Amino acid sequence: MRLSVLSPWLAAALVAAPASAAPAKARDTSFAAHQAFLAVLDAVNARWFGQAYQGITSVQVQGSLGITLSGAAVNRKVDQLSRGQLQSHSQGGQANLQLAGTYFADGDFRTNLTGDFGNLLYARRGDRGFLYSKDLNAYTTRVDLPDADAPLTWMSWFQQVINEIKAVYVTGNTFKARLAGDESVGGHTLQRIVFDAPTSPWDAQRREQSMAQSLGFWKRGHLEILADKTTHMPERMDFRNEEQGVHTRMDFTYGNGDHLQAVTVTNRSRGFEGPGWLHVAYGADGRMSHVDGELSSKDKRISFSLSLSWSSRLTVADIAALPPAGAARRGKEELETQLGISLAGQIFNLQRQGLNLRSVSVSPQ
């Protein structure tokens, strides 16, 4: 533990104490931080998810995702890439995606995706399924298998997500944890919990990385949680990962029963500095019925709107599907490579139009 994060009187006490006292104090502080964070995760699981999803086995999702770029962003990118040798008068660019799918907690699903990234039908029941591309008129029956320990209900599914966070931040050895004092806001006492796992610095020249690196950005970095000391509900979360260029703050607002109602985002991530928001609506059953969100910067906007319908009555027979007659059967690697190249082309086009994203590698890692 660095002395710079300690109050002056505690720093002086550590200097005067026997050499073994500092490690012992660090262990005590780390344990207290872990216990405080466990209380936060348990509160989130109980009040955001919990009993409302007991016995619920499936959810139907319908909605849209959109990416919009202004002409100014495109023009600046052209100027940057050509070092001022070319001029652009773009009106901007956008990509839109429509989603309609049914997802079971145990991993069975059927998803229809349509839009600027192509038209796909992806389905799996047990260990059988297929991925079909309307644009390529081709499909593969080699699909990823569900997890061996897949839960049967969505209440258990949410619990597994919480357990994965616990495994990384609490029981794992990657992060160092500590408490960083209390503060009073609106008559409530808030406790600050801090986790540190240093990363490499940002490399602006690196443009490609594996999918695991992209999705696992939260497994290293610096996390600060500000939580109500009585209810243990998180009020604010600040996370940064220098290597991935991620730096985001989230402020949480709650409704009846401590249901998450809204998240206000302050984003300082590289290439997407700006505000964002998330709104959650609930049905009379206490389950999420609609989720809307948006992340904006000066010249870019990513938005989504999803309707959710939960059920305990649907069966796998309700998602039965077959590839269309006449479609060509392909090997998994062949079809995924073609789809990856098509997707990469769309992403590269958005990058040329000003969207700063690291490309996901289409080659095996």
Side-chain angles (χ1 to χ4, degrees):
M1 177 177 291
R2 296 190 300 271
L3 294 182
S4 59
V5 303
L6 301 173
S7 59
W9 64 268
L10 183 53
L14 289 177
V15 170
S20 60
K25 187 65 177 181
R27 286 194 299 270
D28 291 343
T29 302
S30 177
F31 178 79
H34 284 150
Q35 293 302 112
F37 190 51
L38 284 173
V40 170
L41 292 177
D42 289 341
V44 165
N45 187 45
R47 293 169 183 160
W48 292 12
F49 314 117
Q51 294 299 316
Y53 299 90
Q54 184 175 21
I56 300 300
T57 55
S58 66
V59 59
Q60 293 176 299
V61 181
Q62 288 189 318
S64 61
L65 168 70
I67 301 175
T68 303
L69 302 169
S70 73
V74 177
N75 297 338
R76 282 198 304 274
K77 196 66 174 181
V78 171
D79 181 74
Q80 174 190 344
L81 294 175
S82 68
R83 297 185 178 181
Q85 299 303 305
L86 297 176
Q87 290 187 342
S88 170
H89 302 285
S90 172
Q91 298 301 307
Q94 64 180 25
N96 295 287
L97 176 71
Q98 297 294 319
L99 164 69
T102 300
Y103 304 89
F104 286 81
D106 65 2
D108 292 333
F109 63 87
R110 173 177 171 171
T111 303
N112 288 275
L113 299 170
T114 61
D116 297 327
F117 285 157
N119 297 271
L120 300 174
L121 172 59
Y122 192 18
R124 184 182 66 204
R125 293 191 298 166
D127 60 356
R128 296 177 179 272
F130 68 91
L131 173 63
Y132 168 72
S133 168
K134 181 179 179 180
D135 304 271
L136 300 174
N137 194 30
Y139 71 95
T140 180
T141 58
R142 289 180 55 197
V143 297
D144 295 331
L145 298 179
D147 294 335
D149 61 345
L152 297 180
T153 69
W154 281 101
M155 186 177 77
S156 298
W157 190 91
F158 289 125
Q159 181 65 64
Q160 281 197 352
V161 173
I162 296 295
N163 289 342
E164 183 178 356
I165 296 173
K166 290 180 180 179
V168 172
Y169 283 89
V170 179
T171 60
N173 297 319
T174 302
F175 285 89
K176 292 183 178 180
R178 59 184 171 87
L179 296 176
D182 300 341
E183 61 181 81
S184 181
V185 178
H188 296 272
T189 301
L190 305 181
Q191 185 176 46
R192 189 178 300 276
I193 312 165
V194 179
F195 293 88
D196 278 302
T199 69
S200 300
W202 167 261
D203 181 2
Q205 302 304 313
R206 180 183 172 201
R207 304 305 300 168
E208 186 175 281
Q209 62 187 13
S210 69
M211 181 66 77
Q213 288 173 306
S214 296
L215 299 180
F217 70 90
W218 59 277
K219 295 181 179 181
R220 295 196 72 89
H222 179 87
L223 172 67
E224 293 190 18
I225 300 286
L226 199 61
D228 189 295
K229 206 167 182 178
T230 300
T231 66
H232 307 296
M233 299 302 293
E235 298 286 335
R236 179 182 301 165
M237 182 188 77
D238 198 309
F239 176 84
R240 65 176 182 268
N241 179 320
E242 297 295 343
E243 183 176 5
Q244 299 280 23
V246 177
H247 191 177
T248 301
R249 171 179 148 177
M250 298 182 181
D251 291 276
F252 303 98
T253 302
Y254 299 98
N256 294 332
D258 282 335
H259 278 149
L260 178 65
Q261 189 174 63
V263 180
T264 302
V265 180
T266 304
N267 196 28
R268 295 185 290 277
S269 300
R270 291 180 182 268
F272 224 111
E273 298 85 352
W277 53 266
L278 175 75
H279 291 164
V280 184
Y282 296 84
D285 53 16
R287 294 188 285 269
M288 292 178 285
S289 61
H290 207 96
V291 180
D292 295 281
E294 181 176 292
L295 192 61
S296 301
S297 66
K298 182 179 180 181
D299 301 307
K300 314 174 187 72
R301 181 170 68 92
I302 295 177
S303 61
F304 63 89
S305 180
L306 301 174
S307 295
L308 311 175
S309 178
W310 307 86
S311 175
S312 59
R313 298 185 179 90
L314 293 181
T315 69
V316 291
D318 294 303
I319 59 171
L322 292 172
R329 183 170 178 170
R330 302 274 177 84
K332 179 182 179 182
E333 290 78 10
E334 179 184 4
L335 183 61
E336 287 186 345
T337 297
Q338 289 180 319
L339 291 173
I341 291 173
S342 176
L343 175 60
Q346 293 287 348
I347 292 176
F348 294 154
N349 183 54
L350 287 173
Q351 286 180 322
R352 286 193 294 271
Q353 293 174 347
L355 185 63
N356 185 15
L357 294 174
R358 293 190 188 275
S359 306
V360 174
S361 173
V362 298
S363 60
Q365 294 291 322

